[in-house]
Amino acid sequence: MKKLQGAHQRKPITPDLLMTPSDQGDVDLDMDFAADRGNWTGKLDFLLSCIGYCVGLGNVWRFPYRAYTNGGGAFLVPYFLMLAICGIPLFFLELSLGQFSSLGPLAVWKISPLFKGAGAAMLLIVGLVAIYYNMIIAYVLFYLFASLTSNLPWEHCGNWWNTDLCLEHRGSKDGNGALPLNLTGTVSPSEEYWSRYVLHIQGSQGIGSPGEIRWNLCLCLLLAWVIVFLCILKGVKSSGKVVYFTATFPYLILLMLLVRGVTLPGAWKGIQFYLTPQFHHLLSSKVWIEAALQIFYSLGVGFGGLLTFASYNTFHQNIYRDTFIVTLGNAITSILAGFAIFSVLGYMSQELGVPVDQVAKAGPGLAFVVYPQAMTMLPLSPFWSFLFFFMLLTLGLDSQFAFLETIVTAVTDEFPYYLRPKKAVFSGLICVAMYLMGLVLTTDGGMYWLVLLDDYSASFGLMVVVITTCLAVTRVYGIQRFCRDIHMMLGFKPGLYFRACWLFLSPATLLALLVYSIVKYQPSEYGSYRFPAWAELLGILMGLLSCLMIPAGMLVAVLREEGSLWERLQQASRPAMDWGPSLEENRTGMYVATLAGSQSPKPLMVHMRKYGGITSFENTAIEVDREIAEEEESMM
């Protein structure tokens, strides 16, 4: 027995925390983080969570519409170019910040306390988005339950919610095919079901008088929050397992809808309309702006979700590889969703005898009016309707997980001793509070409030936050120092492409988007309803509030320092003393012995004594130490 033990002891052991997650088993992943904060428990948890977070409802109801209105196949040129300039670099930057520090959106600003207000702005934005995003999930649940019938309730007119304008939009067949319908002045049963039954919007006089709470929507919203709470109950340990289903199952349903769609008569008509290149559109600045906006919002940069997810990684997780997998996967998913949607719209166009552009629509109207109407024209319509809304449910849920996890992580990282032991209770309180704040969305006029939140909660304020983050990291903290941190973490420095994007291309593009959104500002509207001036002002203040968080945070940071104003600004701009990797053994160079309670002056030597020999990551640490020493000598 002793011989066996001795042989085991003599066997060379590779340090667990210096191995990449792909080299480790599921159990070994726990060694790189304090147990009370939690971390991903599986190899694919992080990657699937990022995919689920980025691939959301917008891939289904926003990208296809933007593609065909901005040049069809030609739109893919600015789309992928903006992905390279804005999407991939900013995605990698946010992941790097989170993984290097193992901190949430508030505590991560130890990197430069002067800009902590940007973290507070992130939380405000993601909180407002989470409130109305879960209402959309509640609508999906409503339609999901309504599909569990032999006949879809929006298939025919003649119900109590229908008006005299209701007309069953079905083409009449003869030997030559579909006869064109005169749809002018008529309303489809699916549209009246959505507006008059689900929303019951006729019971509201406008945003100022929302009317009564709809009990069925109220219960659906409650169910949506219960589902979200149960899935984030144990933090990333529970949500990381749920995404194995919610991030992958939508692809199966999307594939089924795609196969069904392309086999329908008239499908090619819709696909041709969707992808026919119109290269003259590329001469318009609007197309490039639309492409940048689609990339910006679909990847979820600036909401703090990516930063939060990465903070639960092991220190040497290969986020460089993960960045390209998620960003390119998100783009391909959007394109595939376009094929699935427009093949069905092409079939619908042929059945009705009207052009495709008369049935195509962006936003919730596609999901809750046009596509449900198309489902009524198919055999086994309740089955396909159920699949479509189940896909929307899974697409929406994992994005909502990210929003809630961002808020909970950010606050618990600020007050770890008080809130981490009671994280489940705190998560429940957050869900209850947001449910109560979202009750106004379940009223007769709730859609007006949802549109207002959608238009202003994450508009120009989000762009200001991302621009501030980019400039703070690259200009104030320093691009060389940031690249050195990544070198310490991944074993290599980002190349010229990433440095050029972080320093110039990405901020310049975002600034152009910000200016464009201000110059081309249009008041909110829903159908023929125009929002009153006070509602517009409320929306603008909503966006400005997140922007004002940044100077307010600067003021607080400066007041905490001592000396002249310039000295205070300098001190508040510098990284906090405990900034750096969360574990002592990952600290090297300038980060040695800066961790609270640190006992070892040289973590690298601890590794060598414990394990024997030097690993590839320790070679990186030695190289980083040498670079720092050379810089210090050159400065002297």
Side-chain angles (χ1 to χ4, degrees):
M1 188 69 181
K2 290 182 178 179
K3 289 182 179 180
L4 290 174
Q5 290 177 347
H8 176 70
Q9 290 173 356
R10 287 193 300 271
K11 184 180 178 181
I13 302 173
T14 305
D16 291 332
L17 57 85
L18 295 180
M19 295 161 59
T20 62
S22 59
D23 299 324
Q24 300 177 354
D26 290 352
V27 177
D28 294 334
L29 290 172
D30 289 332
M31 295 190 64
D32 216 292
F33 279 92
D36 60 347
R37 190 176 190 272
N39 61 280
W40 301 114
T41 57
K43 298 177 182 179
L44 294 176
D45 292 17
F46 167 71
L47 185 61
L48 290 178
S49 294
C50 285
I51 291 174
Y53 170 60
C54 296
V55 178
L57 300 174
N59 296 73
V60 173
W61 70 38
R62 188 171 287 121
F63 175 84
Y65 185 85
R66 277 188 169 166
Y68 98 80
T69 56
N70 290 287
F75 179 73
L76 298 180
V77 175
Y79 179 77
F80 279 102
L81 188 59
M82 288 300 170
L83 177 65
I85 292 176
C86 258
I88 294 174
L90 293 176
F91 195 97
F92 185 48
L93 181 143
E94 195 165 328
L95 291 187
S96 299
L97 271 180
Q99 180 166 304
F100 183 78
S101 63
S102 301
L103 297 172
L106 280 177
V108 76
W109 286 104
K110 290 179 180 180
I111 191 174
S112 183
L114 185 66
F115 296 94
K116 191 170 185 176
M122 277 185 185
L123 289 193
L124 175 62
I125 291 171
V126 80
L128 292 173
V129 170
I131 291 172
Y132 81 80
Y133 200 86
N134 225 28
M135 189 65 228
I136 297 176
I137 295 177
Y139 293 143
V140 172
L141 286 171
F142 191 100
Y143 271 81
L144 192 68
F145 295 138
S147 300
L148 299 174
T149 58
S150 56
N151 293 304
L152 295 175
W154 56 85
E155 186 171 356
H156 302 289
C157 297
N159 303 289
W160 67 261
W161 58 82
N162 293 125
T163 65
D164 295 336
L165 298 177
C166 182
L167 175 66
E168 295 181 21
H169 293 176
R170 292 176 176 271
S172 300
K173 295 277 186 169
D174 63 6
N176 299 322
L179 294 176
L181 290 175
N182 182 11
L183 305 179
T184 306
T186 65
V187 182
S188 68
S190 63
E191 187 168 349
E192 289 201 335
Y193 179 82
W194 163 244
S195 62
R196 296 182 58 81
Y197 180 69
V198 179
L199 300 181
H200 199 257
I201 205 164
Q202 69 272 18
S204 169
Q205 299 301 315
I207 192 171
S209 54
E212 298 179 355
I213 289 179
R214 300 275 292 154
W215 67 268
N216 43 14
L217 288 181
C218 185
L219 291 177
C220 286
L221 182 61
L222 177 62
L223 177 59
W225 278 113
V226 169
I227 294 173
V228 171
F229 170 69
L230 292 177
C231 291
I232 67 166
L233 181 60
K234 296 183 179 180
V236 294
K237 290 184 182 296
S238 55
S239 65
K241 295 306 179 186
V242 176
V243 293
Y244 276 79
F245 176 77
T246 58
T248 57
F249 196 69
Y251 285 95
L252 177 61
I253 300 179
L254 186 62
L255 183 62
M256 293 174 65
L257 291 173
L258 176 61
V259 172
R260 179 61 183 137
V262 296
T263 56
L264 292 171
W268 177 246
K269 184 179 180 182
I271 294 174
Q272 186 178 24
F273 189 82
Y274 166 51
L275 284 182
T276 300
Q278 303 171 42
F279 290 104
H280 66 276
H281 280 270
L282 299 183
L283 300 176
S284 170
S285 60
K286 175 180 176 293
V287 175
W288 295 84
I289 295 293
E290 290 282 335
L293 284 172
Q294 179 63 28
I295 288 294
F296 183 70
Y297 286 110
S298 66
L299 290 180
V301 176
F303 288 96
L306 299 172
L307 194 152
T308 300
F309 284 161
S311 72
Y312 291 103
N313 278 341
T314 51
F315 189 69
H316 299 301
Q317 167 81 9
N318 191 352
I319 51 173
Y320 181 77
R321 172 201 61 201
D322 295 341
T323 294
F324 286 95
I325 291 175
V326 176
T327 53
L328 294 177
N330 177 69
I332 293 171
T333 303
S334 298
I335 296 170
L336 286 178
F339 280 104
I341 295 299
F342 270 87
S343 61
V344 175
L345 296 184
Y347 163 73
M348 188 175 175
S349 169
Q350 179 164 307
E351 287 292 298
L352 297 177
V354 297
V356 179
D357 58 357
Q358 289 190 24
V359 294
K361 188 179 295 187
L366 173 67
F368 300 118
V369 177
V370 178
Y371 215 80
Q373 182 185 350
M375 294 298 100
T376 63
M377 301 179 180
L378 297 176
L380 300 175
S381 54
F383 170 73
W384 294 109
S385 177
F386 181 85
L387 280 186
F388 176 73
F389 286 108
F390 192 74
M391 180 184 72
L392 291 187
L393 176 64
T394 51
L395 285 174
L397 278 177
D398 35 26
S399 296
Q400 186 72 0
F401 297 159
F403 297 148
L404 266 293
E405 192 61 53
T406 298
I407 298 172
V408 172
T409 296
V411 180
T412 52
D413 280 350
E414 280 292 291
F415 308 100
Y417 298 105
Y418 302 102
L419 292 180
R420 278 185 188 167
K422 302 176 182 177
K423 192 173 182 179
V425 176
F426 180 65
S427 300
L429 291 176
I430 292 291
C431 290
V432 170
M434 288 195 167
Y435 169 69
L436 294 176
M437 286 187 283
L439 284 178
V440 67
L441 303 177
T442 66
T443 59
D444 295 334
M447 178 53 68
Y448 299 133
W449 285 98
L450 191 146
V451 169
L452 192 71
L453 284 168
D454 186 36
D455 286 349
Y456 292 101
S457 61
S459 55
F460 58 89
L462 184 64
M463 295 182 198
V464 171
V465 169
V466 177
I467 293 172
T468 302
T469 301
C470 201
L471 294 179
V473 172
T474 59
R475 304 287 183 174
V476 180
Y477 182 68
I479 186 70
Q480 294 299 331
R481 187 184 296 180
F482 184 58
C483 289
R484 192 169 60 207
D485 291 344
I486 295 175
H487 186 196
M488 182 189 306
M489 182 171 59
L490 301 182
F492 62 89
K493 285 186 177 180
L496 178 62
Y497 158 65
F498 280 102
R499 295 199 301 271
C501 288
W502 290 336
L503 282 171
F504 306 108
L505 296 178
S506 296
T509 303
L510 291 176
L511 188 60
L513 286 178
L514 179 61
V515 173
Y516 178 84
S517 64
I518 295 174
V519 172
K520 295 292 185 179
Y521 167 77
Q522 292 182 343
S524 295
E525 58 185 41
Y526 180 71
S528 59
Y529 178 77
R530 300 294 182 270
F531 284 72
W534 67 265
E536 289 295 322
L537 180 61
L538 180 63
I540 293 172
L541 291 176
M542 194 189 306
L544 285 176
L545 184 59
S546 57
C547 299
L548 293 175
M549 290 284 190
I550 299 173
M554 290 180 172
L555 180 62
V556 172
V558 168
L559 291 176
R560 287 180 174 176
E561 304 296 339
E562 297 179 353
S564 64
L565 178 60
W566 178 245
E567 290 172 341
R568 292 182 179 212
L569 283 171
Q570 285 183 312
Q571 292 164 10
S573 300
R574 297 191 186 103
M577 285 297 296
D578 58 344
W579 163 252
S582 64
L583 292 183
E584 182 184 344
E585 50 263 41
N586 289 327
R587 290 177 171 251
T588 184
M590 63 186 292
Y591 299 110
V592 169
T594 58
L595 189 63
S598 175
Q599 300 296 322
S600 170
K602 202 68 175 175
L604 177 58
M605 303 310 297
V606 174
H607 285 313
M608 295 178 67
R609 286 197 302 269
K610 183 176 180 181
Y611 300 109
I614 299 178
T615 68
S616 60
F617 279 111
E618 287 166 343
N619 278 323
T620 299
I622 293 173
E623 187 179 342
V624 171
D625 284 346
R626 187 183 300 117
E627 288 180 4
I628 295 173
E630 290 174 356
E631 287 183 12
E632 291 175 350
E633 290 178 3
S634 64
M635 292 176 64
M636 295 176 61

